[in-house]
Amino acid sequence: MNGRLLTVLLLAVAAAGCAQLAYYGQAANGQFSLLDRAHPVDEWLADPNIDAGLRAKLKLTKQIRRFAVSDLNLPDNRSYTEYADLQRRFALWNVVAAPALSLEPKQWCFPIAGCVNYRGYFSQDAAKKFAASLRQQGYDVQVSGVPAYSTLGWFNDPLLSTFIRYPDGELARLVFHELAHQTVYAKDDTQFNESFATTVEQVGVERWLAAVGSQKTRDAYVQFEGRKEEFLALLLQYRQRLASNYASGLSDAQKLQQKAAIFLALQVDYQALKVKWGGYAGYDHWFAEPLSNAHLALVATYYDLVPGFKALLAQQQTLKKFYVAVAGLAALSKEERHRRLEELAKSRPT
């Protein structure tokens, strides 16, 4: 086993106790197996039997990776310079849970990443088993596949078969997002970390498309982003409706009845959105499990603080200065950094 990986595992077990050994064991074994499958992109490109589609995507990632360093000041390391064929649809599966009458996600705390609003498994069956135990405790639960994740610079994260064939703009977006996590990370603050990475990905793709993207690539990305924004707006609308329901003076039984009606209306409105999109089914997977609070618990996590981050970037003018300023925010208390970002958002021209 990789020495650094073993060290992380031992630290985790020492901090959490033997009760968590099975969980940390699957995490370490899953990470090691993933890294063991990774080989330099140039080795894959040297293989004459590699299919043309994969070859084109791997060549593109080399250009994306160079742009990330030269134009976005993102880490210049071996992350995303290797490729691993996992021979499965997702890299891992996240379990998200929330109470039956609340949108506040349950948190799990880890020695390295701190407290986060999900728990990841490299086995879908293990994730479903854990989800079942949470449902028995009365939680709303969602199990969702994750195509990529960041080890925060502890390891050289590889490109994965789970996302390598994404459209060009989406592939660039994902690489920029994950590299941002290696640039600044605030322990115990998922909302801050994800909103920061989302800001970097949005700015990064905009600059990348302007510099090297073809008109076809730009058009495809604009269409994809438009659909994503409409879907997100739909989810935020229904998240607010649920929040209002749970904050009302209704009895718990009445709130549960309203909750069911709200989720039914969400499905109806989603079908109408699909008709508007000409049948595009890219978000059908989101409805694979019965809808619950867990589906909407993290919706705002990736976007709520983005306006503040964008205002900070405009203030700092360059990405290099922006990262320094964000690192300064990460050093503050969670409450103070959120307060400052909210003030920045208010000052941003509309």
Side-chain angles (χ1 to χ4, degrees):
M1 179 178 287
N2 178 289
R4 198 174 187 189
L5 192 58
L6 179 59
T7 299
V8 173
L9 176 59
L10 291 176
L11 285 172
V13 171
C18 291
Q20 295 291 338
L21 180 60
Y23 176 74
Y24 286 116
Q26 68 85 29
N29 288 331
Q31 180 66 41
F32 177 70
S33 175
L34 184 150
L35 294 175
D36 191 49
R37 289 176 173 269
H39 302 285
V41 167
D42 285 339
E43 288 187 12
W44 289 92
L45 292 175
D47 181 356
N49 296 317
I50 190 174
D51 78 78
L54 178 57
R55 181 182 297 277
K57 289 295 185 181
L58 290 176
K59 285 183 176 180
L60 178 64
T61 62
K62 295 184 69 172
Q63 187 275 329
I64 290 171
R65 195 63 184 84
R66 288 194 300 269
F67 187 88
V69 175
S70 64
D71 290 63
L72 304 181
N73 293 105
L74 290 169
D76 186 5
N77 54 31
R78 286 174 51 205
S79 287
Y80 307 109
T81 65
E82 297 182 325
Y83 171 70
D85 184 355
L86 300 186
Q87 299 181 349
R88 59 179 186 262
R89 186 179 178 187
F90 296 109
L92 49 75
W93 287 263
N94 276 349
V95 179
V96 178
L101 293 175
S102 171
L103 291 164
E104 187 67 28
K106 179 177 174 60
Q107 284 198 330
W108 290 273
C109 298
F110 307 99
I112 304 302
C115 297
V116 294
N117 300 330
Y118 49 83
R119 185 164 162 129
Y121 287 85
F122 283 90
S123 162
Q124 185 178 21
D125 288 342
K128 288 183 175 181
K129 183 178 180 180
F130 181 63
S133 71
L134 290 171
R135 289 191 179 100
Q136 289 180 347
Q137 298 174 47
Y139 285 101
D140 281 8
V141 184
Q142 180 194 28
V143 178
S144 58
V146 179
Y149 64 94
S150 172
T151 60
L152 308 180
W154 279 83
F155 306 102
N156 296 310
D157 298 320
L159 299 159
L160 301 175
S161 53
T162 52
F163 64 80
I164 193 67
R165 296 183 188 272
Y166 278 11
D168 293 355
E170 278 300 289
L171 183 57
R173 178 201 64 76
L174 189 148
V175 171
F176 299 155
H177 183 103
E178 300 304 337
L179 285 172
H181 284 312
Q182 296 185 19
T183 306
V184 181
Y185 185 83
K187 200 170 184 180
D188 304 334
D189 196 345
T190 303
Q191 189 175 31
F192 178 88
N193 296 323
E194 295 300 346
S195 290
F196 165 65
T198 296
T199 302
V200 173
E201 78 174 48
Q202 290 179 355
V203 172
V205 172
E206 181 181 333
R207 296 184 182 188
W208 180 75
L209 287 173
V212 301
S214 66
Q215 188 61 49
K216 181 179 179 181
T217 301
R218 287 194 289 270
D219 290 345
Y221 189 75
V222 167
Q223 182 183 58
F224 183 90
E225 281 298 292
R227 289 169 174 166
K228 183 168 72 173
E229 288 179 7
E230 288 187 298
F231 184 64
L232 176 62
L234 179 69
L235 298 187
L236 290 174
Q237 173 192 340
Y238 277 90
R239 190 181 194 279
Q240 183 55 52
R241 288 180 60 177
L242 285 167
S244 297
N245 175 43
Y246 300 148
S248 72
L250 298 174
S251 68
D252 285 356
Q254 290 172 317
K255 288 179 182 178
L256 288 172
Q257 187 176 21
Q258 285 294 316
K259 171 185 175 181
I262 290 170
F263 277 126
L264 181 60
L266 170 56
Q267 294 187 65
V268 171
D269 280 355
Y270 172 64
Q271 292 303 318
L273 201 56
K274 283 180 62 177
V275 171
K276 177 184 175 182
W277 294 339
Y280 175 74
Y283 294 101
D284 280 8
H285 64 89
W286 199 83
F287 297 85
E289 295 183 337
L291 294 182
S292 73
N293 292 335
H295 283 72
L296 292 165
L298 303 187
V299 169
T301 298
Y302 287 74
Y303 301 97
D304 266 7
L305 300 179
V306 169
F309 279 116
K310 288 193 173 180
L312 182 60
L313 175 57
Q315 182 185 88
Q316 297 298 318
Q317 297 186 328
T318 69
L319 282 169
K320 187 174 183 179
K321 291 180 179 179
F322 171 63
Y323 297 151
V324 172
V326 173
L329 289 176
L332 302 174
S333 68
K334 181 177 180 178
E335 294 73 19
E336 179 61 15
R337 73 173 74 106
H338 282 234
R339 185 188 68 79
R340 294 195 184 188
L341 284 168
E342 288 166 4
E343 288 184 353
L344 283 163
K346 292 176 183 177
S347 68
R348 187 183 180 203
T350 56

